[in-house]
């Protein structure tokens, strides 16, 4: 969980993969890199060591277009295969796939993130980095890269949500599950922006059915909470503090039926309809840690603002308690224990 954990773990993994004889290939989406990127250096080193390195570079990363063109030239010169983004869809997914060959058997290490592979912003934005050796996720990630390498839109996947074909569809299916539970339903989402009309209509249906809907939306939120008969059961909060809140987390239900997903996209039509996004379901310990992060953010009184039915925001600060979700000492250990979230 950046910036409370260091990006060093992921950087060290890439650098080790560049040197490891068992690693056959590294495939990665590139949207924004740091000015002096260790990520790019590791990919170049891997190519120099004879590994197949595929970099999907998105040219339309606003304000970073020239930087991406420059990095593409450096990577290509080093022997990496540089793949252009799709003409009609922006590739916004944060996805890295390391493939190892051991005794004639291939296995995958997959990384899915909510933020860019950028050492600078990893100290300024709150983001999640999820590393897994799950076979299903690895196979889905490989299918995504195969499609992108030939200029095709990735198909829906089994273990991952892959936008635009699977992202909104899967999210709405789980939301409908909560709607069917009525007052027993629960939805807690943390994201940067909410404006997709189809998703908002479903949230209104959820509220009218009695589902508890708690939204943590840092920026643009086009749904107003607390409107009688429409959004009575919806609350909206925004956390604005020292770090830019950038995580995307989606909780559906609680207890044994609780499911939690994290990934690269917000709920704007540009994300649900015109971008390639990637989401993974968090399970077991990773899920519990993500839930702890959501609960911490919901308790925040120092940086939190609550939207009123008229669209105005008011601070949540109280004299009785002080909780700063951006100072999680004692809640998030600083020993790397949360680095897998």
């Amino acid at each position: 969980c950046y910036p409370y954990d260091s990006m060093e773990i992921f950087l060290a993994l890439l650098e080790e993969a560049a040197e490891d004889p068992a690693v056959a290939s590294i495939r990665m989406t590139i949207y924004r890199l740091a000015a002096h990127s260790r990520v790019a250096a590791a990919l170049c080193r891997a190519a120099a060591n004879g590994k197949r390195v595929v970099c999907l570079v998105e040219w339309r990363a606003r304000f970073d277009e020239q930087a991406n063109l420059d990095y593409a030239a450096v990577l290509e010169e080093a022997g990496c295969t540089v793949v252009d983004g799709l003409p009609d869809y922006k590739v916004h997914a944060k996805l890295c796939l390391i493939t190892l060959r051991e005794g004639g058997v291939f296995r995958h290490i997959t990384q899915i993130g909510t933020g860019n592979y950028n050492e600078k912003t990893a100290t300024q934005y709150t983001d999640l980095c999820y590393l897994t050796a799950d076979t299903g996720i690895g196979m889905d990630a490989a299918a995504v890269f195969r499609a992108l390498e030939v200029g095709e839109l990735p198909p829906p996947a089994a273990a991952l949500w892959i936008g635009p074909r699977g992202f909104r569809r899967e999210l709405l299916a789980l939301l409908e599950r909560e709607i069917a539970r009525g007052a027993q339903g629960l939805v807690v989402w943390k994201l940067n922006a909410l404006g997709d009309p189809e998703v908002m209509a479903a949230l209104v249906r959820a509220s009218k059915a009695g589902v508890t809907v708690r939204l943590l939306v840092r920026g643009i939120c086009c749904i107003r909470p607390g409107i009688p008969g429409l959004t009575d059961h919806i609350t909206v909060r925004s956390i604005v503090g020292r770090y830019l809140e950038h995580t995307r987390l989606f909780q559906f239900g609680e207890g044994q039926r609780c499911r939690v997903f994290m990934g690269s996209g917000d709920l704007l039509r540009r994300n649900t309809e015109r971008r390639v996004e990637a989401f993974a379901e968090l399970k077991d310990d990773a899920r519990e840690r993500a839930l702890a992060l959501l609960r911490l953010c919901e308790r925040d009184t120092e940086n939190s603002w609550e939207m009123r039915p008229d669209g105005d925001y008011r601070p949540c600060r109280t004299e009785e308690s002080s909780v700063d979700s951006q100072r999680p000492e004692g809640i998030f250990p600083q020993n790397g224990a949360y680095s897998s979230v």
Side-chain angles (χ1 to χ4, degrees):
C1 181
Y2 306 148
Y4 314 113
D5 292 300
S6 172
M7 191 181 178
E8 183 63 34
I9 292 174
F10 176 69
L11 295 171
L13 172 68
L14 271 185
E15 290 166 349
E16 182 178 337
E19 304 292 342
D20 189 343
V23 171
S25 68
I26 303 174
R27 287 173 277 186
M28 193 172 195
T29 58
I30 292 176
Y31 195 77
R32 300 186 196 276
L33 295 178
H36 302 285
S37 173
R38 284 174 60 186
V39 171
L43 295 173
C44 290
R45 181 63 181 167
N49 287 337
K51 305 179 190 307
R52 184 168 186 262
V53 179
V54 178
C55 304
L56 188 292
V57 180
E58 177 52 67
W59 311 114
R60 294 161 296 186
R62 189 170 53 173
F63 306 127
D64 278 306
E65 295 90 345
Q66 187 59 55
N68 283 359
L69 287 167
D70 293 342
Y71 267 123
V74 169
L75 291 164
E76 200 161 35
E77 185 176 353
C80 303
T81 299
V82 174
V83 179
D84 296 343
L86 304 175
D88 298 320
Y89 298 87
K90 183 179 285 191
V91 180
H92 191 249
K94 317 307 186 220
L95 195 59
C96 177
L97 180 68
I98 299 171
T99 301
L100 300 93
R101 181 172 52 210
E102 298 172 331
V105 177
F106 288 94
R107 65 183 183 92
H108 302 296
I109 297 174
T110 312
Q111 185 272 345
I112 304 101
T114 68
N116 298 298
Y117 300 112
N118 186 311
E119 298 95 303
K120 181 177 180 181
T121 57
T123 66
Q124 300 171 335
Y125 297 2
T126 69
D127 270 309
L128 302 179
C129 170
Y130 182 50
L131 289 166
T132 178
D134 181 271
T135 301
I137 289 178
M139 292 177 66
D140 280 356
V144 170
F145 281 108
R146 283 197 300 271
L148 294 176
E149 284 182 58
V150 296
E152 295 180 356
L153 200 61
L160 296 175
W161 288 355
I162 300 297
R165 291 178 171 173
F167 172 24
R168 184 170 60 188
R169 184 192 67 188
E170 297 290 346
L171 179 137
L172 288 175
L174 286 178
L175 184 52
E176 291 295 339
R177 186 191 73 164
E178 295 307 305
I179 292 173
R181 293 187 62 84
Q184 302 303 311
L186 174 66
V187 170
V188 185
W189 294 348
K190 184 178 186 300
L191 59 159
N192 294 274
L194 172 61
D196 183 288
E198 192 173 341
V199 174
M200 291 191 296
L203 288 172
V204 171
R205 290 201 310 275
S207 178
K208 292 170 74 172
V211 177
T212 297
V213 178
R214 302 199 298 265
L215 305 175
L216 293 160
V217 186
R218 173 181 57 83
I220 296 169
C221 181
C222 297
I223 193 168
R224 290 186 179 183
I227 298 176
L230 292 174
T231 59
D232 313 65
H233 298 281
I234 297 177
T235 59
V236 177
R237 285 192 173 193
S238 173
I239 296 176
V240 181
R242 174 184 178 185
Y243 303 117
L244 186 143
E245 293 289 332
H246 200 245
T247 56
R248 287 95 169 192
L249 272 171
F250 298 88
Q251 175 189 350
F252 300 88
E254 56 188 335
Q256 293 299 312
R257 63 184 186 85
C258 175
R259 300 186 70 181
V260 180
F261 293 79
M262 58 146 283
S264 57
D266 292 306
L267 292 176
L268 299 172
R269 290 182 68 177
R270 69 183 189 187
N271 299 93
T272 58
E273 297 179 1
R274 301 191 299 275
R275 290 187 176 186
V276 176
E277 307 280 8
F279 285 79
E281 181 173 9
L282 300 177
K283 298 181 180 180
D284 302 322
D285 189 48
R287 183 187 68 176
E288 296 309 308
R289 294 172 180 179
L291 290 172
L293 176 60
L294 282 174
R295 299 295 87 79
L296 172 62
C297 290
E298 289 190 288
R299 295 198 309 273
D300 187 296
T301 57
E302 292 300 303
N303 312 292
S304 228
W305 296 72
E306 186 164 11
M307 186 193 285
R308 302 299 183 179
D310 62 0
D312 190 22
Y313 284 85
R314 296 183 185 177
C316 299
R317 191 172 294 111
T318 66
E319 295 181 359
E320 292 76 20
S321 63
S322 176
V323 178
D324 187 344
S325 64
Q326 295 196 347
R327 290 182 178 275
E329 293 86 352
I331 302 174
F332 289 157
Q334 299 300 304
N335 60 3
Y338 278 77
S339 298
S340 62
V341 178

